[in-house]
Each structure stands twice: as C-alpha cells, then as structure tokens.
Amino acid sequence: MRFKKGNKVEVLSKVEVPCGSWLYAEIICGNGHHYTVKYDGYESDAGEAIVEQVSRKDIRPCPPALELTDNWNSGDVVEVFQNFSWKMATVLKVFGKNHILVRLLGSSLEFQVSKFDIRVRQSWQDDKWIIVGKVLLFYLVNFCFIFFSNCLVLLAV
C-alpha cells in the first residue's frame, strides 16, 4: 500500500518498549519505500513537531476502531494507549467495567488504564486488518456454535 501526503498512519517505534509501540503520525511525503512523517502529540524541546524519515515496513494505516468487547480478562494481551503511543500489554486485573490493571509486555511496569485507552490487537497483513487474540476466538466459537446449531436443525428436519 502506498501512502499519500496527509494520510494518517501509525509508525512502529522500538525506542520505548522492547516489543515496540505504534505512534500516530501524518505522511508529509514519500516515494513508496521511505516516508517523511510528522508525529502527533510529540514535540521537540523547541516546541516544534517532530518530523522523521521512516521505512515503509514500519508504517501501517490507522486501524479501524472496534467496539467488540468490554469483557477483558486476566491474561488477555491487548494494546494500551500511554505516552502518545499504543503498546502491547497483558491484562492483570479488571476493576468493574471502566478500569483495567495492565503490565507492558517485556516490562515490569504495571499501571491502571481506562477502558477508553485499551483496544483489541490488530495486525495489518496483505493490505487488510486481521484481529489478533481472544476477540477472534470469541467470534469463531459463536460462529461455529450458530453453524452447528443450524446443522442440528437441518438434521432434525
């Protein structure tokens, strides 16, 4: 996928956490192999937007917002928004419907996030989004159950 000037994207950074994080950015220009991006939310010490040239392999479009689950459980691997980027984390404990205790993958750092700062993991593969993790399993199990139920109905007829 080629990006155009003005496209909103996410850029992979391996600076802050061992498994990387995704930062919001806007495409300034590019040639299909390398792109110049301006990061959203980050500024230099002089108060100017941070602009950087990055490889195409470290860029993906912004994933679609999914409201597939509020049903997080201990052990779920999710993405959490912290310090202007999305990082992979493990759910440690759920406090009601609004707050979740998480630990960043590859780190001992634990902190509490709002349900609004947590999202389902998605992967950009072959120019399409693939849901990663339990949400996909949830939908597959439900689909199989519905399919199986329909088969039982057909067999009973």
Side-chain angles (χ1 to χ4, degrees):
M1 171 179 211
R2 288 187 68 116
F3 296 105
K4 299 176 189 169
K5 180 179 179 176
N7 284 152
K8 298 290 186 179
V9 295
E10 290 186 348
V11 178
L12 180 63
S13 170
K14 295 183 181 171
V15 174
E16 205 174 344
V17 290
C19 57
S21 63
W22 291 98
L23 292 83
Y24 288 120
E26 181 179 333
I27 300 292
I28 304 298
C29 63
N31 62 12
H33 299 289
H34 292 89
Y35 290 88
T36 302
V37 299
K38 177 176 73 172
Y39 292 104
D40 292 350
Y42 283 97
E43 294 182 347
S44 68
D45 293 337
E48 297 175 3
I50 295 179
V51 176
E52 180 180 44
Q53 186 172 2
V54 294
S55 170
R56 164 65 191 98
K57 66 182 174 86
D58 292 331
I59 300 174
R60 68 183 189 182
C62 293
L66 298 176
E67 295 183 29
L68 298 177
T69 186
D70 281 332
N71 188 24
W72 302 112
N73 295 306
S74 295
D76 288 344
V77 178
V78 297
E79 289 185 354
V80 296
F81 193 69
Q82 185 212 31
N83 293 338
F84 300 104
S85 67
W86 289 98
K87 302 170 179 121
M88 283 199 305
T90 303
V91 172
L92 298 177
K93 188 172 183 176
V94 178
F95 301 106
K97 290 194 177 262
N98 294 324
H99 294 92
I100 299 118
L101 181 66
V102 298
R103 177 184 304 123
L104 293 181
L105 289 185
S107 170
S108 60
L109 180 61
E110 297 178 6
F111 55 95
Q112 189 172 318
V113 295
S114 160
K115 73 174 186 175
F116 301 107
D117 291 328
I118 191 169
R119 71 182 185 186
V120 173
R121 290 180 54 224
Q122 297 180 70
S123 177
W124 181 246
Q125 297 177 4
D126 300 323
D127 291 339
K128 61 184 174 204
W129 287 104
I130 306 295
I131 297 171
V132 180
K134 81 167 197 171
V135 175
L136 179 60
L137 180 61
F138 171 79
Y139 281 100
L140 285 175
V141 167
N142 282 334
F143 174 76
C144 290
F145 176 75
I146 291 167
F147 180 75
F148 185 67
S149 296
N150 287 341
C151 287
L152 286 177
V153 171
L154 290 174
L155 290 174
V157 171

